[in-house]
Amino acid sequence: MALLGMRGLSVFISDVRNCQNKEQERLRVDKELGNIRTRFKNEKGLTPYEKKKYVWKMLYIYMLGFDVDFGHMEAVSLISAPKYPEKQVGYIVTSCLLNENHDFLRLAINTVRNDIIGRNETFQCLALTMVGNIGGREFAESLSPDVQKLLLSSSCRPLVRKKAALCLLRLYRKNPDVVNVDGWADRMAQLLDERDLGVLTSSMSLLVALVSNHHEAYWSCLPKCVKILERLARNQDILQEYNYYGIPSPWLQVKTMRALQYFPTVEDPNTRRSLFEVLQKILMGTDVVKNVNKNNASHAVLFEALALVMHLDAEKEMMSQCAALLGKFIAVREPNIRYLGLENMTRMLMVTDVQDIIKRHQAQIITSLKDPDISIRRRALDLLYGMCDISNAKDIVEELLQYLSTADFAMREELSLKAAILAEKFAPDLSWYVDVILQLIDKAGDFVSDDIWFRVVQFVTNNEDLQPYAAAKVREYLDKPAIHETMVKVSAYLLGEFGHLLARRPGCSPKEIFSIIHEKLPTVSTSTIPILLSTYAKILMHRQPRDLELQNQIWAIFNKYESCIDAEIQQRAVEYFALSRKGEALLDILAEMPKFPERQSSLIKKAEDTEVDTAEQSAIKLRAQQQMSNALVVTDQRPANGTPPVSQLSLVKMPSMNNNVELSSAEEASSQENGALSIVDPQPPSADVQGDLLGPLAIEGPPGTTVHPEQNVSSGLEHIVDEATAIVPVEEETYSVQPIGNISERFRALCFKDSGVLYEDPYIQIGIKAEWRAHQGKLVLFLGNKNTSPLVSVQAIILPPSHLKMELSLVPETIPPRAQVQCPLEVMNLRPSRDAAVIDFSYKFGNNMVNVKLRLPAVLNKFFQPISISAEEFFPQWRSLSGPPLKLQEVVRGVRPLPLLEMENLLNSYRLTICPGLDPNPNNLVASTTFYSEGTRAMLCLVRIETDPADRTQLRMTVASGDPALTYELTEFIKEQLVSIPIAPHVPTPLVAQPTSSPAALTDPGAMLAALL
Amino acid sequence: MIRFILLQNRQGKTRLAKYYVPLEDSEKHKVEYEVHRLVVNRDAKFTNFVEFRTHKVIYRRYAGLFFSLCVDITDNELAYLECIHLFVEILDHFFSNVCELDLVFNFHKVYLILDEFILAGELQETSKKAIIERMGELEKLE
């Protein structure tokens, strides 16, 4: 009964408990509140004991959920009571009722300060506790010196000092300036020598907050933290009372390891060794035991140790140990451990390149996606999202879609957002992306935000190849009996824009499309009707001119909505009606929407923007941000996670519609290898090239196996290229990075197309996209990091030949994990020359430097502009250029035997326009082009090739232009393309990875070029 | 860091609420209501962790009482889960065989104990013995 010190309070609590219902309770509480109010008013009559009792009652009432604002003042005033019992109530109740933003607290600052600096230890404790729990900025500014003094004082009991440590932590969180970094580092280190575990535990929390902001200043604390860990985990050198189920203070162990995670590395080898010994012991020595509490405590320590090992990026064996442990955890039945296994695997993805190990557990993770516990499902979803890349995107997204139908509402929104993002980021082809989004809308329309369907419309609008496919797809969905309104929106929009592309298919005439969309109108809300009206207007434009019936139907609808109460609908109806009477002009006004500007996916932005609110920045995030900040400056606001810009998304494969286009890039590559250059792809190569580009991270590119080098019939140009790839003299081959695909093949392909992959290895993909205008070119290099860890020391140096002026924008030093950065490169052609520019590219992955020199496809023919010329223009020019050096004639032998048609195609692909009919001899070819350089300006070039049907390996070639150098260079250029020079089969050239310390070889451009050419 | 600590019974009555972040009263009521709803229906075989807004709640049920800690998403879950148990052991020791009624009639003592255990949202003392002794000292002062 001693505990029930206050009888009145107990009686009141009993009364409230005995109330039958909420109403009675309210009446009882109101009565009490009235009583308290009156008693407080006549303050004179109140004894300190009574005051204390009423304030406690108030707290109880407050806990029941009632408003007790009127009593704040009373509670605060008790703080200045002279005796402990009242003071205690004042402090405790104030810290429950008020928060740091209450003005009343200011009134107490002076009293609080006096208690802190006073000699009464009990008062010090009360004051420190309240400030530690609800102190705000003002407290921080006026009290922190006093609190620091208490923490460091040798005369204070540990009881006071541990409270001071946490009180200071609170003040520091409110205002970091209150702790002077310089002065505190040493004191902090001293505090870590503390023997009392209560003070040490509190100080460790303080240290975590300090190092999370300024780890550099607290280096001296690092070895001490390791000592503490050793003391706890190895020597178990602590008082018995700090053992928790036999484990030496698991909380202090966890905090200490948390603090260590904020230091980037442990440099001192001895400290490092000691730390790893402890970590190894924890990793190996933690067994599953029966006692739940012991098990939890030991695993709390284990998981923190895992996090620390991941952070320190230990020797490979330790990391694989971690991965193995996590693999075990995600398969156990104990839900907490499984949850933590999944969570830590996700964290592991962020710090190291363990994608492959984790992928092995994909099936297990997917099982957890179906766990009855939403917490586990969420972790599984996060992990699947994090581990998704091009290789498993299809599987994972399909799992998510499947799960979507059965998922509970709490998760559907997140699921559909994540599925949409993954589909966008890793689409192997755009049609798949469209399929995924449409399925998403179909299965979970309510949870698909507008952003998602806007995005699919952007993609379709910007990718012509995709339009008929997407239109056909949405048309299919419209046949379903009940579809979600979002599906109505997206299908109406797409069919309005692109429905006419389907016109010849059954069920897709403008009339049929109109009626199936119009069927949905009665079911949709007012926000969708304007979209439908636009669709009708577009259908009206595409209808057969004689289809008056359809026209009247649509006009009738416009008429109907002319008086609609919704302004947007009304305006559209009126305007479309008026516009549709304009006849021909309609075609311009209602033309297809222009392409959307490339922009960051708002979805991905949304996903990135979700900030988590934590007291200390997470160590992992902190590092990620530091790495990213570098790249973002120069990457033209590109998202750090490597989202491809709109126009670059993947290769468009249209499964059902256009079979002959389905040349995979591998097939294409090999067909080119075989010299079948004359096949002019019906589909300009740009589509697949962009696929590759885009693929930067999502690479499906043909691996070396699909290339048949021995069959290669190569040209002179290629020969040169080959040498270009024989990179740096091999000195110590510690570790070599194999390029994926054939570098010279890639270069050659890029010589006659404007975008594609220039280089690829397991870590990076370099794509290129070029635009040429007269003597100028704009190239963009796409540097895509394929890994989950950053590429560092990235360097690109351009070594231009003398005839090109080139300017490369800044290349970021770091490419964040899975990010793609763009580096624009400006080119200006000064005069004709066949020399090519070289880019000296290097980066560091782990401890290895990779260096590669690549020829850039800024070659002679890029400065050609095809021109078709008539006989009247040709002959005078031909005659006026009468002989060397302006006109050169040469008999070329050893030509690769090509049918005439293929030769024409070959020339065409180099932008030399074949002019048929100018030469009466059908075995001869005449071609023309305009060459641009700063020196020559636009200059007409004329070419005549006389072939011998009896011997296809020789021909006579005449080249003419107004510039001797140009004539010479062009002659040689064409020869290179036509002549076959037998060369040794390609051997994939290993790129040499050098130890970082060795200087990058061949930095002198002159020496380099000499070696190349 | 612990954002707040709640002790609630199955009906959702708050037996103790301690906030280490500034919340308005209306927000506190909402939080208490939501956290209760979040944990009360979870199966005993589920994890002791559940996401709550941008944080997570680590909770544990003892008889009809739910002890919930709201912590940062990056915090060590199991460490906080055992922190709940340590708190319960301290209460159990202090009240010798604690039950819900002890906590109701002695709520002010519970606040006192909590203040010796956790401060500024961080663990202050993990020795049961040290806390019980301290409580003895304080009782003498009253």
Side-chain angles (χ1 to χ4, degrees), chain A residues 45-107:
Chain A
L46 273 183
T47 64
Y49 169 80
E50 281 174 315
K51 243 188 166 181
K52 174 179 134 186
K53 182 180 76 183
Y54 287 128
V55 171
W56 276 127
K57 272 187 187 173
M58 244 169 36
L59 178 57
Y60 190 79
I61 292 170
Y62 177 71
M63 283 202 322
L64 292 173
F66 295 88
D67 173 24
V68 293
D69 287 2
F70 74 91
H72 287 175
M73 193 61 201
E74 300 302 330
V76 174
S77 70
L78 274 185
I79 290 178
S80 29
K83 290 223 178 86
Y84 171 74
E86 288 80 33
K87 200 183 240 330
Q88 178 217 45
V89 181
Y91 270 120
I92 292 184
V93 176
T94 301
S95 32
C96 288
L97 298 186
L98 271 58
N99 70 43
E100 65 187 60
N101 304 321
H102 276 90
D103 286 339
F104 278 158
L105 273 187
R106 280 199 206 132
L107 305 177

Side-chain angles (χ1 to χ4, degrees), chain A residues 813-834:
Chain A
E813 208 180 83
T814 303
I815 306 178
R818 302 227 229 144
Q820 191 195 51
V821 296
Q822 292 183 8
C823 310
L825 169 64
E826 305 272 345
V827 182
M828 195 194 281
N829 187 22
L830 304 176
R831 58 181 180 276
S833 165
R834 285 168 302 133

